[in-house]
Amino acid sequence: MTNRGLLIQSLAAYKSAYQEELAFKKRFQELLEHPRAFFRDHLPGHITASAWIIDPTRKYALLTHHAKLHRWLQPGGHADGQEDVLAVAQREAWEETRLVSLKLSGDHIFDLDIHLIPPRHDFPEHFHYDIRFLLVANIEETFTISEESKDLAWLSEAEVVQRTGSNQSILRMAEKVRDLP
């Protein structure tokens, strides 16, 4: 089965206690009918992938202060044609942190989100259909801030709330970690 086919299966099987994520599933499934869904020039939106990175104690999450969006977010980015979204999330996490201790926690999608990206230069406003995975990394390992970021920091849940304000998708991922068995 293709990576796209596996993703379609994973989305169909994905369960969430959060109503907004369940509403996103149908929109993801519709987007995946388009051949160019994984390319950034596909409008009005395209697939992205990201990583919610936590330390082994689950007390801290590693967030980046995005240089273009001027917001604290999880590492992630465009698929650019790559249909293996886990590989995209892992690549983006490594590129934006340079952490070598990154390990996948579980073998499934951690979170789904669709969010609006404002217009920039000659590219119009569009949607990112973001598929998120949970990664664990050593908090003691030295990270590197990429050119895509203004800063990178391990944040407690209280600090995540303080720095991200009312970003419900970020708060949802922090809550999910708190509720892990």
Side-chain angles (χ1 to χ4, degrees):
M1 180 174 292
T2 67
N3 285 321
R4 184 185 295 242
L6 289 171
L7 177 57
I8 290 168
Q9 271 188 344
S10 294
L11 286 168
Y14 184 71
K15 298 192 182 339
S16 176
Y18 299 86
Q19 289 303 311
E20 64 269 22
E21 282 189 284
L22 298 178
F24 292 152
K25 280 177 58 169
K26 182 174 177 23
R27 292 176 61 194
F28 270 92
Q29 291 163 331
E30 290 169 356
L31 174 66
L32 288 168
E33 293 174 10
H34 296 275
R36 295 195 54 81
F38 292 88
F39 291 89
R40 69 174 72 202
D41 62 357
H42 184 269
L43 297 175
H46 43 262
I47 298 290
T48 60
S50 61
W52 187 253
I53 303 171
I54 59 172
D55 75 307
T57 70
R58 301 180 184 168
K59 293 181 181 172
Y60 296 91
L62 184 61
L63 297 185
T64 179
H65 190 244
H66 197 279
K68 292 177 184 172
L69 296 175
H70 308 290
R71 288 187 267 176
W72 284 93
L73 302 168
Q74 74 280 1
H78 291 97
D80 289 327
Q82 166 67 271
E83 294 187 4
D84 181 346
V85 288
L86 172 57
V88 172
Q90 291 172 316
R91 178 193 74 222
E92 291 290 335
W94 182 81
E95 285 178 358
E96 294 182 31
T97 68
R98 292 297 196 239
L99 292 174
V100 296
S101 64
L102 292 166
K103 300 280 185 262
L104 179 64
S105 178
D107 61 351
H108 54 278
I109 295 168
F110 178 63
D111 192 79
L112 295 174
D113 195 62
I114 301 173
H115 48 271
L116 189 62
I117 301 298
R120 287 193 351 92
H121 306 295
D122 60 350
F123 205 75
E125 176 178 85
H126 61 283
F127 289 96
H128 279 180
Y129 287 66
D130 199 34
I131 301 166
R132 287 109 176 244
F133 294 90
L134 182 62
L135 301 183
V136 178
N138 179 351
I139 197 169
E140 301 298 324
E141 183 181 345
T142 302
F143 55 71
T144 301
I145 300 170
S146 76
E147 69 279 352
E148 296 178 38
S149 302
K150 292 180 179 181
D151 199 3
L152 195 59
W154 285 102
L155 305 173
S156 68
E157 186 174 352
E159 291 169 317
V160 167
V161 171
Q162 178 187 23
R163 295 203 193 178
T164 64
S166 62
N167 186 328
Q168 291 303 306
S169 75
I170 297 281
L171 300 179
R172 183 177 62 236
M173 289 187 288
E175 187 174 304
K176 284 181 177 185
V177 168
R178 186 177 354 111
D179 294 341
L180 286 173

